[in-house]
């Protein structure tokens, strides 16, 4: 009992030490002096703010109309809807930079504590668990890529799932299995490559347990694993279905091997495990000179190639971890194999392994950077180095480590000499000498700590060992992996994403886009290359941007309008055949009324005439232009015309129709109506516009179409006066609902559960063509159809339909006399 109490006290002490170290190392962010930059602000800060605003205004966060003319937020794997961020959004209606940063860093705290619990369950030394927690939280990509919020979350939940899975297998505990399934489900709930690779580590754990324990282990673990699987599947089923269906409709449902291979970790990047800032990634006075100069071969940001996880942990892995074969101990052998796998996977194109996994390992094709495995390299190295420290501190009295220390020193010195040779060969010896000298100092300190730990391991108490490990490892990682230009910048740089900003361009756009209740207008803006942090600003400030910042975008919209992941620079604006200039029909249909640009817009769009756009303001950030031809968000259009939208996107050619008199459809409307423009005066009001609900009132003397210039998506439903109505794809991208003459209420509602299940059912059980249709008439025997009270007339497509399909001019009396053709179902026209 005294031993148990001592062990519990030791782990309590280790946990306190880790929490204190976490607080000190994270203080620059927690204090608000710096903020996590890049994606953490430009993308995820906006996502959290959108989520908080939706909750606190009583709206659904499932549809986002602020970017890309609308996007299914519930299906976006980076939306944070299904993450613990929901708690932050519930607490704070306007989450600050500091609050979001604390939320991100708390993941690393939780993951480190989970590893401490893993060590405690194993009965390993608390100092080993403490070092594992520190390396996990502040080593390699955990420190250098903290701005990738989704991957940090997956990484943290991996540690929790890893601990609970090990407990489940160790104790054959169904309850632990339930919690392990929950943690693993949270890990993959918003999927990324870190979650994928971490999932394979968990699978490897189970398989290794079965192999080592045989049939008894398999039998004892069956019920707990079943419980874990049921809970995990229950957690992830619908979110993954939504994400899969969304990804299938985006610009990148699958990543080409060549593109993925560009995200490989160069073999020379592994030198950063020995020399933390060898290539100048941290020093602002040194221009980064790492092996990523040719973007056609490799394309990684400088922070993505950093794998430093501390001098002492690395030294212990080399000696005595390798020299004594402790990394091949039965209890950690699977982790050693997985560490080797992760290193080879991260190297991507430089080994055959990645190509094999790309072709045969499920899920790999969906992600673009094998270098994402650096997260798992740091995490697994943390556990293994902690285990080696445990073996040192619990070794038998009299065990000598002199030989191991000498071998370890030789390996380190040899690698550092090689790093100097590489820097000299690349012409950067002057840049490399300082980080190399610092690395030698840290390895000398690590060697001293190793000597003390192994020499007086019997005399050192748990508190002394924990204090020594905390001091050396935390100081090392704080200096070499601490705040830098990749992970910590001034909050003022992202002021445009602060809901309380005084930015004059944002204030002007909010003022210009505000409309009185009932107005059919809801004008869109375009932030044309205003900076990396600008594209998602509309999600924070409540206006609608034609573009945005997101790697996942609906393909239809992207092909028509021209989008990239973001639009940080004016040169990022890519025009398309259907959107060749800001003076075009698609810009007007989008309701793109205001364009903010840091440069005169004629420098970007050289097709513009002098009077096409009106300069209405000059702000500190640039120019604001107005497109006076932008159409309202909702319109009533009396007529319709058939169009081939795919051909239009390729050619850029619009039919010669007035969009206020005829809407373009790719199928015939539900109620047969002759084609052609119809001029009419109708009263239309946009009475309610919410994230997932739009209500419109229309009074019209003739039948026609209510057109909503938001992107068409199959998960939306419409009702006219409470009766379900078909949503037609209109004008290539938008939505239309057919209504009769009179006063009507049209309601659009986003229903992702119903919509996704219906879409999934259609994919699994596609409708067979109707074989009961009558045979097509012979050319020499035209079919005559009649309706009660009507004269016989020829059946066939209208002239505009025939022309669009290349069928030539209609023949026969009806065509010659200008008689309207009889209605043919849309399926017949399509064939």
């Amino acid at each position: 009992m005294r031993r148990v109490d001592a062990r519990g006290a030791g782990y309590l002490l280790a946990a306190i030490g880790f929490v204190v170290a976490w607080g000190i190392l994270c203080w620059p962010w927690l204090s608000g002096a710096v903020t996590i930059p890049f994606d953490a602000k430009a993308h995820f800060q906006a996502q959290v703010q959108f989520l908080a605003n939706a909750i606190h205004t009583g709206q659904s966060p499932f549809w986002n109309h602020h970017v890309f003319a609308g996007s299914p937020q519930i299906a976006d794997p980076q939306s944070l809807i299904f993450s613990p961020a929901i708690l932050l959004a519930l607490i704070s209606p306007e989450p600050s930079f500091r609050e979001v940063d604390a939320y991100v860093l708390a993941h690393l705290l939780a993951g480190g504590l989970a590893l401490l619990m893993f060590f405690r369950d194993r009965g390993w030394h608390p100092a080993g668990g403490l070092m594992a927690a520190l390396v996990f939280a502040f080593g390699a990509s955990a420190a250098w890529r903290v701005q990738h919020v989704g991957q940090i979350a997956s990484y943290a939940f991996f540690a929790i799932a890893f601990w609970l899975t090990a407990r489940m297998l160790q104790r054959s505990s169904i309850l632990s299995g339930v919690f392990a399934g929950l943690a693993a489900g949270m890990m993959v709930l918003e999927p990324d490559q870190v979650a994928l690779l971490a999932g394979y580590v968990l699978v490897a754990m189970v398989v290794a347990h079965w192999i080592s324990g045989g049939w008894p282990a398999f039998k004892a673990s069956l019920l707990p694993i079943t419980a874990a699987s049921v809970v995990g599947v229950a957690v992830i089923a619908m979110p993954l279905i939504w994400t899969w269906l969304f990804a299938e409709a985006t610009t990148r449902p699958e990543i080409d091997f060549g593109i993925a291979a560009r995200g490989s970790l160069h073999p020379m990047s592994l030198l950063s495990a020995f020399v933390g800032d060898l290539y100048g990634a941290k020093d602002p006075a040194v221009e980064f000179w790492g092996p990523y100069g040719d973007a056609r071969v490799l394309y990684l940001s400088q922070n993505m190639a950093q794998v430093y996880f501390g001098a002492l942990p690395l030294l212990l892995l080399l000696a005595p971890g390798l020299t004594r074969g402790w990394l091949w101990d039965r209890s950690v052998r699977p982790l050693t194999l997985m560490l080797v796998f992760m290193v080879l996977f991260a190297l991507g194109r430089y080994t055959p392994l990645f190509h094999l996994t790309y072709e045969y390992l499920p899920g790999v094709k969906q992600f673009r950077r094998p270098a994402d495995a650096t997260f798992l390299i740091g995490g697994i190295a943390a556990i293994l180095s902690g285990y080696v420290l445990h073996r040192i501190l619990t070794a038998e009295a009299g065990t000598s480590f002199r030989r191991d220390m000498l071998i370890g020193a030789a390996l380190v010195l040899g690698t550092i000499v090689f790093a100097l040779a590489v820097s000299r060969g690349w012409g950067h010896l002057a840049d490399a000498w300082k980080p190399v000298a610092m690395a030698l100092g840290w390895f000398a300190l690590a060697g001293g700590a190793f000597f003390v730990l192994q020499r007086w391991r019997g005399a050192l108490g748990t508190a002394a060992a924990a204090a020594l490990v905390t001091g050396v490892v935390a100081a090392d990682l704080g200096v070499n992996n601490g705040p830098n230009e990749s992970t910590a910048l001034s909050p003022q740089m992202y002021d445009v994403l602060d809901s309380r900003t005084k930015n004059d361009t944002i204030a002007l756009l909010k003022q210009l886009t505000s409309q009185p209740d009932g107005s059919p207008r809801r004008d869109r803006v375009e932030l044309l290359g205003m900076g990396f942090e600008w594209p998602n600003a509309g999600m924070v400030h409540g206006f609608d941007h034609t573009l945005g910042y997101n790697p996942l975008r609906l393909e239809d919209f992207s092909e028509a309008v021209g989008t990239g992941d973001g639009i940080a620079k004016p040169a990022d604006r890519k025009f398309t055949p259907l959107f060749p200039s800001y003076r075009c029909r698609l810009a007007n249909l989008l309701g793109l009324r205001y364009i903010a640009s840091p440069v005169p817009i004629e420098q970007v769009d050289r097709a513009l005439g002098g009077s096409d756009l009106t300069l209405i303001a000059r702000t500190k950030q640039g120019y604001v232009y107005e497109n006076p031809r932008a159409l309202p968000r909702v319109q009533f259009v009396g007529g319709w015309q058939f169009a081939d939208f795919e051909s239009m996107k390729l050619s850029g050619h619009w039919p010669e129709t007035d969009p206020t008199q005829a809407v373009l459809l790719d199928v015939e409307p539900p109620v047969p109506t002759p084609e052609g423009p119809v001029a009419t005066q109708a009263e239309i009001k946009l009475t309610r516009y919410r994230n997932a609900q739009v209500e419109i009132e229309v009074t019209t003397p003739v039948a026609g179409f209510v057109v909503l210039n938001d992107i068409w998506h199959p998960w939306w439903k419409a009702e006219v006066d409470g009766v379900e109505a078909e949503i037609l794809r209109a004008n290539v991208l938008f939505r239309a609902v057919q209504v009769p003459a009179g006063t009507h209420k049209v309601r659009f509602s986003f229903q992702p559960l119903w919509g996704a299940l219906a879409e999934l059912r259609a994919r699994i059980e596609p409708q067979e063509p109707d074989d009961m249709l009558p045979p097509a008439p012979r050319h020499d025997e035209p079919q005559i159809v009649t309706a009660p009270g009507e004269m016989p007339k020829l059946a066939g497509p209208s002239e505009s339909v025939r022309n669009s399909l290349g069928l030539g001019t209609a023949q026969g009396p009806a065509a010659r006399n200008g008689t309207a053709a009889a209605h043919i179902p849309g399926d017949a026209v399509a064939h």
Side-chain angles (χ1 to χ4, degrees):
M1 288 298 295
R2 282 196 296 270
R3 284 197 299 271
V4 171
D5 291 343
R7 188 181 68 180
Y11 269 95
L12 178 60
L13 182 64
I16 293 172
F18 173 62
V19 172
V20 170
W22 175 87
I24 294 172
L25 294 177
C26 293
W27 183 247
W29 295 275
L30 299 177
S31 68
V34 296
T35 193
I36 304 174
F38 304 116
D39 282 13
K41 292 295 167 288
H43 188 48
F44 292 103
Q45 180 76 31
Q47 300 284 355
V48 173
Q49 181 59 64
F50 174 82
L51 184 59
N53 182 69
I55 291 172
H56 288 274
T57 58
Q59 299 191 65
S60 165
F62 295 165
W63 181 264
N64 181 359
H65 54 77
H66 296 302
V67 292
F68 304 119
S71 182
Q73 190 81 350
I74 192 173
D76 188 339
Q78 301 183 72
S79 68
L80 303 180
I81 290 174
F82 299 107
S83 75
I86 194 76
L87 300 176
L88 175 59
L90 282 167
I91 295 169
S92 175
E94 295 181 345
S96 67
F97 292 175
R98 184 162 60 173
E99 289 171 337
V100 174
D101 290 351
Y103 159 77
V104 175
L105 297 170
H107 284 81
L108 299 177
L109 177 65
L113 291 173
L115 288 192
L116 273 170
M117 291 300 298
F118 170 79
F119 272 67
R120 185 179 185 276
D121 285 352
R122 285 289 192 272
W124 295 345
H125 198 284
L130 174 58
M131 187 167 75
L134 288 169
V135 175
F136 176 87
F138 301 105
S141 289
W144 282 93
R145 297 177 62 181
V146 70
Q147 66 270 38
H148 295 161
V149 175
Q151 292 183 319
I152 290 292
S154 296
Y155 180 63
F157 277 111
F158 159 66
I160 298 170
F162 179 84
W163 159 50
L164 291 169
T165 300
R167 173 174 283 198
M168 171 190 74
L169 297 174
Q170 183 180 9
R171 303 182 180 184
S172 300
S173 168
I174 294 177
L175 183 61
S176 294
V178 168
F179 285 111
L182 178 61
M186 294 296 294
M187 181 182 74
V188 302
L189 201 53
E190 299 192 2
D192 51 53
Q193 190 159 225
V194 174
L196 175 71
L197 295 174
Y200 282 121
V201 173
L202 298 181
V203 171
M205 285 179 64
V206 174
V207 172
H209 177 74
W210 288 344
I211 292 174
S212 63
W215 172 250
F218 175 82
K219 183 178 179 181
S221 66
L222 198 56
L223 284 179
I225 290 175
T226 301
S229 301
V230 169
V231 171
V233 169
V235 169
I236 68 175
M238 277 312 303
L240 287 191
I241 289 173
W242 281 317
T243 296
W244 174 66
L245 292 174
F246 177 43
E248 288 289 299
T250 65
T251 53
R252 57 178 221 184
E254 184 176 287
I255 304 299
D256 178 79
F257 176 77
I259 294 175
R262 289 171 63 200
S264 301
L265 188 72
H266 194 282
M268 291 299 102
S269 293
L270 295 176
L271 291 175
S272 67
F274 291 81
V275 183
D277 197 27
L278 176 63
Y279 299 112
K282 192 171 186 289
D283 190 347
V286 176
E287 184 177 357
F288 181 72
W289 56 277
Y292 297 95
D294 190 349
R296 294 170 298 180
V297 179
L298 293 177
Y299 186 76
L300 285 181
S301 301
Q302 62 189 46
N303 63 305
M304 294 182 181
Q306 299 297 115
V307 292
Y308 188 80
F309 54 86
L312 180 59
L314 179 59
L315 183 60
L316 296 185
L317 289 180
L318 296 174
L322 283 177
T323 56
R324 288 185 177 266
W326 285 350
L327 295 180
W328 202 244
D329 287 355
R330 182 177 178 181
S331 55
V332 295
R333 188 180 306 164
L335 287 175
T336 300
L337 293 173
M338 290 307 297
L339 178 61
V340 173
F341 172 85
M342 293 302 167
V343 172
L344 295 176
F345 185 95
L347 293 175
R349 64 185 300 151
Y350 296 100
T351 75
L353 177 69
F354 179 67
H355 197 192
L356 290 173
T357 58
Y358 178 87
E359 294 294 341
Y360 301 110
L361 201 61
V364 174
K365 290 184 178 181
Q366 272 62 52
F367 303 103
R368 60 178 174 174
R369 278 190 303 264
D372 287 345
T374 51
F375 277 96
L376 278 302
I377 291 173
I380 298 174
I383 301 170
L384 290 175
S385 62
Y387 172 76
V388 173
L389 180 57
H390 152 71
R391 288 296 308 269
I392 293 172
L393 294 174
T394 57
E396 294 181 0
T399 304
S400 174
F401 292 93
R402 180 177 299 178
R403 173 177 169 272
D404 303 282
M405 294 176 67
L406 291 174
I407 294 175
L411 290 173
V412 169
L413 286 174
T415 305
I416 288 180
V417 169
F418 178 68
L420 285 172
V422 169
S423 64
R424 184 176 184 275
W426 291 1
H428 287 275
L429 183 60
D431 296 324
W433 73 266
K434 183 178 177 180
V436 165
M438 289 185 63
L440 287 172
W442 286 110
F443 274 108
L445 181 61
F450 182 10
F451 177 80
V452 171
L453 289 168
Q454 61 88 24
R455 182 69 178 271
W456 291 289
R457 58 185 177 275
L460 280 177
T462 301
L468 179 61
V469 169
T470 302
V472 172
V473 177
D476 182 0
L477 295 176
V479 171
N480 288 290
N481 287 357
N484 59 75
E485 61 183 354
S486 295
T487 62
L489 295 177
S490 169
Q492 286 302 114
M493 295 186 64
Y494 296 93
D495 175 67
V496 70
L497 293 170
D498 188 335
S499 59
R500 296 166 288 273
T501 183
K502 302 295 191 229
N503 183 281
D504 54 349
T505 302
I506 294 294
L508 176 62
L509 292 174
K510 291 171 71 173
Q511 178 186 354
L512 291 172
T513 54
S514 64
Q515 294 290 337
D517 292 341
S519 171
R521 301 198 70 91
R522 187 180 170 92
D523 297 317
R524 287 190 170 94
V525 307
E526 183 162 313
L527 303 170
L528 175 59
M530 297 290 288
F532 176 77
E533 67 275 15
W534 281 74
N536 285 345
M539 296 169 64
V540 175
H541 301 293
F543 56 77
D544 294 348
H545 185 202
T546 50
L547 303 180
Y549 175 47
N550 200 319
L552 292 179
R553 307 167 303 281
L554 291 170
E555 187 175 28
D556 279 347
F557 184 83
S558 187
E559 289 179 347
V561 179
T563 67
D565 283 4
I567 182 166
K569 307 182 296 295
D572 292 339
R573 187 45 162 116
K574 307 301 181 186
F575 294 104
T576 68
L578 208 59
F579 197 114
S581 165
Y582 287 110
R583 174 152 193 174
C584 70
R585 183 181 296 190
L586 186 52
N588 298 339
L589 289 168
L590 279 166
L592 175 52
R593 191 170 184 181
Y594 303 106
I595 303 164
S597 171
V599 299
I601 201 165
E602 296 83 4
Q603 296 181 16
V604 181
D605 185 356
R606 302 188 183 278
L608 286 174
S611 59
D612 288 342
L613 300 179
T614 304
L615 178 64
I616 60 174
R618 177 76 167 88
T619 68
K620 295 177 182 178
Q621 293 77 37
Y623 307 83
V624 179
Y625 297 88
E626 181 181 11
N627 171 21
R629 294 166 298 279
L631 294 170
R633 184 65 60 92
V634 293
Q635 303 167 258
F636 179 83
V637 179
W640 75 283
Q641 182 173 331
F642 182 86
D644 183 343
F645 294 158
E646 293 303 316
S647 296
M648 289 173 61
K649 285 191 287 187
L650 292 173
S651 68
H653 176 71
W654 290 82
E656 295 297 328
T657 58
D658 183 344
T660 64
Q661 297 185 12
V663 61
L664 302 180
L665 304 176
D666 59 354
V667 296
E668 292 196 17
V671 178
T673 304
E675 283 186 78
V678 175
T680 185
Q681 293 293 327
E683 181 182 357
I684 191 163
K685 295 180 180 179
L686 185 56
T687 57
R688 184 178 179 85
Y689 193 92
R690 311 277 276 177
N691 291 343
Q693 189 178 99
V694 179
E695 295 179 2
I696 301 162
E697 290 184 2
V698 60
T699 300
T700 170
V702 299
F705 303 86
V706 170
V707 180
L708 175 62
N709 287 321
D710 284 344
I711 194 167
W712 181 93
H713 192 274
W715 301 349
W716 280 87
K717 293 187 73 172
E719 295 177 351
V720 177
D721 300 327
V723 178
E724 185 174 343
E726 181 181 356
I727 301 179
L728 303 167
R729 192 190 297 261
N731 295 331
V732 183
L733 293 176
F734 309 111
R735 311 175 207 161
V737 172
Q738 193 174 20
V739 297
T743 299
H744 305 283
K745 292 184 178 180
V746 180
R747 183 175 182 270
F748 293 88
S749 59
F750 185 60
Q751 300 186 17
L753 180 59
W754 166 86
L757 292 177
E759 186 177 352
L760 190 64
R761 192 181 307 114
R763 287 171 179 250
I764 296 174
E765 301 176 359
Q767 293 183 349
E768 296 294 332
D770 191 350
D771 294 329
M772 301 304 294
L773 289 175
R778 292 167 49 188
H779 290 293
D780 56 347
E781 296 180 4
Q783 182 184 16
I784 306 297
V785 297
T786 61
E790 292 184 352
M791 295 295 291
K793 54 190 177 182
L794 290 173
S798 66
E799 184 173 356
S800 63
V801 174
R802 296 183 65 84
N803 290 338
S804 68
L805 296 176
L807 299 178
T809 305
Q811 302 295 323
R816 288 193 295 271
N817 296 330
T819 306
H823 170 72
I824 287 187
D827 286 344
V829 172
H831 289 294

